[in-house]
């Protein structure tokens, strides 16, 4: 099978949360693993409420987040890796 050297190779993408205000867009979007997510993004990706994320933080469960000033942020790769580890441990 011949390949076209002018076309970059496709790399598997990482799908992240749907962005707010997407006007009914149901398709997940590709994200950069280094992207910073806010609590809405994390809750959307994990399919839980924001209150669940806050509760997990107080008990030490869930993906590790950090503060940027007064704002909570999570690196996309950290959240995705956390879910992969959960799956592998079952």
């Amino acid at each position: 099978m011949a390949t076209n050297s002018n076309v970059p190779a496709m790399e598997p993408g990482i799908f992240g949360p749907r962005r707010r205000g997407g006007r009914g867009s149901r398709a997940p979007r590709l994200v950069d693993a280094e992207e910073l997510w806010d609590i809405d993004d994390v809750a959307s990706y994990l399919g839980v409420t924001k209150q669940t994320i806050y509760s997990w933080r107080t008990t030490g469960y869930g993906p590790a987040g950090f503060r940027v000033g007064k704002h909570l942020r999570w690196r996309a790769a950290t959240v995705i890796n956390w879910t992969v580890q959960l799956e592998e441990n079952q």
Side-chain angles (χ1 to χ4, degrees):
M1 177 172 163
T3 60
N4 184 346
S5 61
N6 295 329
V7 177
M10 291 293 289
E11 294 183 23
I14 297 174
F15 291 96
R18 293 176 183 92
R19 284 289 179 183
R20 299 175 288 284
R23 294 195 179 224
S25 174
R26 302 294 297 170
R29 64 183 184 82
L30 288 174
V31 297
D32 177 3
E34 295 301 309
E35 181 178 333
L36 295 180
W37 288 352
D38 62 16
I39 193 155
D40 291 313
D41 295 327
V42 175
S44 174
Y45 179 79
L46 296 175
V48 298
T49 65
K50 291 192 304 185
Q51 186 56 49
T52 297
I53 303 296
Y54 288 128
S55 295
W56 286 352
R57 279 186 56 81
T58 62
T59 62
Y61 185 73
F66 57 95
R67 290 207 172 270
V68 177
K70 66 178 184 175
H71 305 283
L72 284 171
R73 296 293 182 258
W74 289 260
R75 195 156 307 279
T78 302
V79 177
I80 293 165
N81 288 335
W82 181 78
T83 61
V84 169
Q85 288 176 353
L86 283 177
E87 183 179 18
E88 289 173 351
N89 291 332
Q90 290 189 8

